[in-house]
């Protein structure tokens, strides 16, 4: 366990690896918010206890599917340990999404994690 005390506003985030009990853990993204377009992207990260098929889906706040990615076990993004997958803010039709909030679901090993993604 790592703990820290910050007595001022900081743009840095302490990222800690926590041993996982289930198949999927530590779902998040960085940077958040990010700018879609002009080279901006966010990295969706998660940890897998073992090689697993991974399904990543991003929805807008109205529940419409914006983007999805399927990864096979053992491939990049489906391997044991920490995985990072970049998202440049494009939808499945190749167009940049608008500014706003999105919900990202990561499913692996029968478990689902979610994270809110802000696009500016």
């Amino acid at each position: 366990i790592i703990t820290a005390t910050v007595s001022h506003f900081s743009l840095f985030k302490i990222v800690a690896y926590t041993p996982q009990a289930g198949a999927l853990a530590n779902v998040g993204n960085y940077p958040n918010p990010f700018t879609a377009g002009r080279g901006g992207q966010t990295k969706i990260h998660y940890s897998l206890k073992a090689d697993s098929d991974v399904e990543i889906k991003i929805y807008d706040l109205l529940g419409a599917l914006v983007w999805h990615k399927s990864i096979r076990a053992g491939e990049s993004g489906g391997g044991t340990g920490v995985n990072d997958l970049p998202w440049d803010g494009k939808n499945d039709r190749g167009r940049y999404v608008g500014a706003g909030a999105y919900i990202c679901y990561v499913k692996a090993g029968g478990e689902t994690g979610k994270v809110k993604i802000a696009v500016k």
Side-chain angles (χ1 to χ4, degrees):
I1 296 175
I2 299 173
T3 59
T5 303
V6 179
S7 61
H8 62 282
F9 177 74
S10 175
L11 295 177
F12 298 98
K13 176 180 176 183
I14 297 174
V15 179
Y17 175 77
T18 305
Q20 58 195 60
L24 175 68
N26 302 320
V27 176
N29 75 299
Y30 184 81
N32 196 14
F34 79 103
T35 303
R38 293 174 278 169
Q41 68 176 14
T42 190
K43 287 191 177 184
I44 301 163
H45 58 86
Y46 49 92
S47 298
L48 299 174
K49 191 169 189 171
D51 289 1
S52 301
D53 291 338
V54 177
E55 184 83 26
I56 299 174
K57 294 182 178 181
I58 298 176
Y59 294 88
D60 65 19
L61 293 182
L62 297 176
L65 180 62
V66 173
W67 181 82
H68 75 283
K69 176 95 175 171
S70 296
I71 304 164
R72 291 182 181 249
E75 292 181 354
S76 178
T80 303
V82 177
N83 291 274
D84 286 314
L85 182 78
W87 181 52
D88 59 5
K90 289 183 181 177
N91 62 23
D92 280 334
R93 291 178 298 238
R95 296 186 177 149
Y96 289 107
V97 299
Y102 296 85
I103 307 294
C104 174
Y105 290 92
V106 179
K107 184 176 180 181
E111 296 181 8
T112 302
K114 68 180 176 179
V115 63
K116 296 175 191 171
I117 298 177
V119 176
K120 59 180 181 172

